Amino acid sequence: MNKGTLKELAGTIRHLRVEERYEEIIIASDEIANTLFKLNEVDDILDILKNRIVAYVYTGNYEEAFAALFQVEQICSNHPSNEHYSLYYGLAGILYTVLNHTEMAKEAMFKAEVLAREQEKHRQLCHTYSNLSNLYYDLKDYEQAKEYAVKALEKLSYFDYEKIDLLPIIGNSIIAFAYVGDVEAAKELYKEMLEIQNVYGQDRDDRNKALLYNAEMALEFSKGCMERAIEAAEKAKQIFIRQGDLYMVKVVQRALIDYYKKSNKTEKLVSAQEEYIELLEKHEQEAYNRALLKFQLDEKKRKYKMASFIDPLTKIYNRGYMEHQAPKHLLDAAYHKHYVGCIIFDIDYFKQVNDQYGHLIGDEIIKFVATSAAQLFAQYDAIFARYGGDEFIACVRTENVQQFEEIIKTLYSFFKTQSILMKDERLQISISIGAYIINATKVGNFTELLKTADEELYAVKRNGRDDFKITYAK
């Protein structure tokens, strides 16, 4: 598949999404399954996968949605950027939401928000805020739902949308405003939503019509018109059932239970509660299947790492693993507003040791250093790897600068006291260390850390070796 064909495919799939032809999206995007990681057009591939995931979610096929999300994660690992990871965490947040993993959903969406805000990706921010509004509505935290709905609406002015794409965002906002009693704001938004549906929806009995009914349901509820709210909810539910969107069926059914309760419709309430229990049981089965799939995918990932990310001599991680994991390590540190540091060190005069004692002895020294340092870094939130030759590297996350300094001093002091018996004589070991630490919210990528730490290492070596030097970001 050439670049032109791929871009055309991405455009076709975007059009299919506007038309709500989800099964066709899935069939069309199958074409990239075998060529996904052989192409360099990463943005087009991610756009296709995003719409593939949405199609799976809207048709209730959560296992396949997570399989596609796994593909997105692999692409982000191979082509790391804040923009790519923002998309990944946003999609993960949606999937965790529909499967009731609310804490995981919040964490993923907050990460997506941080990254999108840093990159000023207003469209991604708008969707993230809208999804957070929906999540807090699920949690019945209506004030928070409104707060994020307001943020989502504020982002609409930054760029042009295809009007039909606005419906989910406006619909979530109507629900949020309605449930805090801001009826006038909800009414105005509903008028806008109705106008868009009438112009662009072509009167189809599709998902957009269901979203309109869903918004109408919340609006009528806020006005105290329970019969109209129930009627709108039933219409929305029937469309979601036909499409296979179990999550939205469950959401609407839960609202119906509230409405029947407030209307004192005992018989209807009992029936709705029984139906809701059946939905929960089915949803739990979906969650179980998703968990099983995730386990299988994780198992494949573990085997892949063992094959390609382990240094054969020392049995610790290699440079490839560091480059694979460091971007996510930095992202987590930035999310928690922690410090992150890079430590790079090598064995002093190692070439002379090799020349004098031979490579087999040199290998034993490298293994000793690797094992000892790995045991130290295992006590901290760190990634440690052999970078090449006698050079080792660590990416360390700490809550403060003092802890980072203590790690380096402990590492340096340990090897100052170590010696190895070689050919009836004890060989003293010393290392040179370069390090750099910065607040993770201020670093762009791991290469920046590595470059500065490497400069400090060579400053130590120029000054005689057997020492350490730390640079602190301003």
Side-chain angles (χ1 to χ4, degrees), residues 254-269:
R254 192 179 69 186
L256 277 169
I257 290 172
D258 289 339
Y259 300 162
Y260 287 138
K261 191 181 297 183
K262 292 180 186 300
S263 303
N264 294 317
K265 295 180 180 289
T266 307
E267 188 175 330
K268 288 277 191 181
L269 175 61

Side-chain angles (χ1 to χ4, degrees), residues 9-130:
L9 177 62
T12 298
I13 288 175
R14 281 194 294 272
H15 176 73
L16 289 173
R17 182 177 172 185
V18 171
E19 294 291 321
E20 300 197 10
R21 291 151 63 182
Y22 301 120
E23 295 295 339
E24 293 178 54
I25 289 174
I26 293 167
I27 293 169
S29 58
D30 278 339
E31 189 176 347
I32 65 168
N34 296 323
T35 56
L36 187 58
F37 302 112
K38 298 177 183 177
L39 299 169
N40 294 321
E41 297 81 16
V42 176
D43 291 337
D44 287 325
I45 293 172
L46 287 174
D47 190 52
I48 291 169
L49 285 173
K50 175 189 71 177
N51 287 308
R52 183 177 176 89
I53 289 168
V54 168
Y56 279 132
V57 169
Y58 288 172
T59 54
N61 196 337
Y62 303 131
E63 292 93 345
E64 292 296 339
F66 268 95
L69 183 67
F70 175 62
Q71 290 179 296
V72 173
E73 193 273 341
Q74 282 192 309
I75 291 175
C76 289
S77 295
N78 293 332
H79 304 274
S81 76
N82 285 355
E83 183 178 354
H84 294 161
Y85 273 113
S86 176
L87 174 64
Y88 166 72
Y89 284 117
L91 292 169
I94 293 171
L95 285 174
Y96 288 133
T97 297
V98 300
L99 290 172
N100 293 326
H101 296 296
T102 53
E103 288 306 313
M104 295 171 72
K106 278 195 283 188
E107 183 175 353
M109 288 184 192
F110 288 150
K111 287 179 179 179
E113 178 192 2
V114 168
L115 292 172
R117 193 168 59 243
E118 287 177 357
Q119 299 294 307
E120 297 185 347
K121 298 295 179 182
H122 298 294
R123 187 177 186 122
Q124 178 66 29
L125 264 179
C126 181
H127 286 296
T128 300
Y129 288 144
S130 183

